Amino acid sequence: MRSLHCFIFQRYTHSVCFWLKMKLKAGVVLHYLFLDNAYCLMSIKNAKILVEYFKMLDVHNKSSLNDIQFYHFLHYTTDLSDKEIMLIFDMLDWNASGEIGFEEFYMLVCILLANQNNVEKQFISRHSRPVFELIDMDGGHTISPAEFQASGFLFNLKGHALNQIFYDFDVSGDENLSYKEFKMFAMACIDKQEQTKREKKKKKEKSTLRSLGACLVKSANP
């Protein structure tokens, strides 16, 4: 299993798709909320702030948001298109009630913050089960290519290589991702995140050494 995971991770690394960064708009309250680095969850303090924010949006006092309230929230806070906003609403409204509660709202905000803080792949890894259930829009306990393509923008995955990533992890070859197969994708995501961190750290160290060397040369030749 480990060798299979390594092979798939290598394929994933070489087929990284075009990244489309989903951004929070300047000045919105979400910029003042943060995720825990280890588990990609909010602190109790931040969660309480979000509860109060949710209550402000819930103008009908129903402990839920309808599609219009939801649309205006994301239209005001993000650069998502109208189509993407309504797709997210349908994904979160899994029982087709026409409303979402605080639990779904909390998950959405965590995803937005993960994107903002460039830890979306770590979020997928830490919360693979709820992410899987979110992407599995028809409730069939598998993810189809269409579902994978449609929801990729949520985690800054978009482009022609997204199909290739899907089929790389479709080990069974049935053109659907089971939870086990999606979990392998999540593991590859965190491996990729750690690799990126190491590369950034190495690049920073090299830059520091170059700057130090330049200073030494300058001081030796006044």
Side-chain angles (χ1 to χ4, degrees):
M1 177 62 73
R2 180 62 186 173
S3 59
L4 175 62
H5 167 55
C6 290
F7 167 73
I8 291 176
F9 172 60
Q10 289 170 358
R11 291 290 301 276
Y12 169 65
T13 301
H14 287 97
S15 61
V16 174
C17 57
F18 172 73
W19 298 99
L20 179 67
K21 189 63 179 172
M22 178 170 60
K23 296 180 181 178
L24 292 178
K25 292 182 178 177
V28 299
V29 69
L30 300 186
H31 279 293
Y32 302 97
L33 301 178
F34 302 95
L35 295 179
D36 173 80
N37 289 330
Y39 300 103
C40 289
L41 293 171
M42 290 186 203
S43 66
I44 294 176
K45 180 181 179 181
N46 277 195
K48 286 181 178 179
I49 293 172
L50 191 64
V51 168
E52 295 305 315
Y53 187 54
F54 181 81
K55 288 179 180 178
M56 291 174 63
L57 295 172
D58 178 24
V59 293
H60 302 300
N61 295 318
K62 296 179 64 177
S63 299
S64 63
L65 303 179
N66 60 34
D67 56 346
I68 297 174
Q69 294 166 310
F70 183 86
Y71 168 81
H72 285 289
F73 161 67
L74 281 183
H75 182 71
Y76 171 72
T77 57
T78 74
D79 63 352
L80 290 168
S81 68
D82 294 354
K83 182 180 178 180
E84 289 170 336
I85 290 173
M86 297 318 298
L87 175 61
I88 294 172
F89 181 82
D90 291 338
M91 291 170 71
L92 293 171
D93 181 25
W94 59 272
N95 60 354
S97 66
E99 299 174 327
I100 66 161
F102 179 75
E103 183 178 339
E104 293 82 14
F105 184 75
Y106 174 87
M107 182 176 183
L108 169 64
V109 172
C110 284
I111 292 173
L112 293 176
L113 295 179
N115 276 280
Q116 186 67 19
N117 298 320
N118 300 310
V119 292
E120 56 269 31
K121 292 185 285 296
Q122 184 174 338
F123 184 90
I124 293 173
S125 177
R126 297 296 186 193
H127 309 291
S128 57
R129 174 59 76 175
V131 170
F132 177 84
E133 292 174 353
L134 179 67
I135 298 175
D136 176 23
M137 289 180 274
D138 64 1
H141 306 295
T142 59
I143 297 174
S144 69
E147 290 171 329
F148 196 67
Q149 277 279 359
S151 58
F153 72 92
L154 266 177
F155 303 98
N156 288 327
L157 289 168
K158 198 167 185 177
H160 67 278
L162 195 54
N163 267 336
Q164 185 61 53
I165 293 172
F166 179 92
Y167 289 110
D168 283 345
F169 287 92
D170 180 22
V171 179
S172 64
D174 62 355
E175 297 194 352
N176 283 288
L177 292 185
S178 65
Y179 175 67
K180 287 183 178 179
E181 290 168 333
F182 183 78
K183 182 69 175 176
M184 286 195 291
F185 167 66
M187 291 166 65
C189 279
I190 197 63
D191 284 351
K192 179 63 178 174
Q193 190 97 44
E194 292 302 319
Q195 183 188 58
T196 302
K197 284 182 181 179
R198 289 193 298 270
E199 288 172 354
K200 284 183 178 180
K201 183 179 179 181
K202 189 179 293 184
K203 188 176 180 180
K204 186 177 180 180
E205 289 173 348
K206 286 182 178 179
S207 178
T208 302
L209 287 172
R210 280 196 298 267
S211 298
L212 181 59
C215 289
L216 290 172
V217 170
K218 189 175 180 180
S219 61
N221 300 285

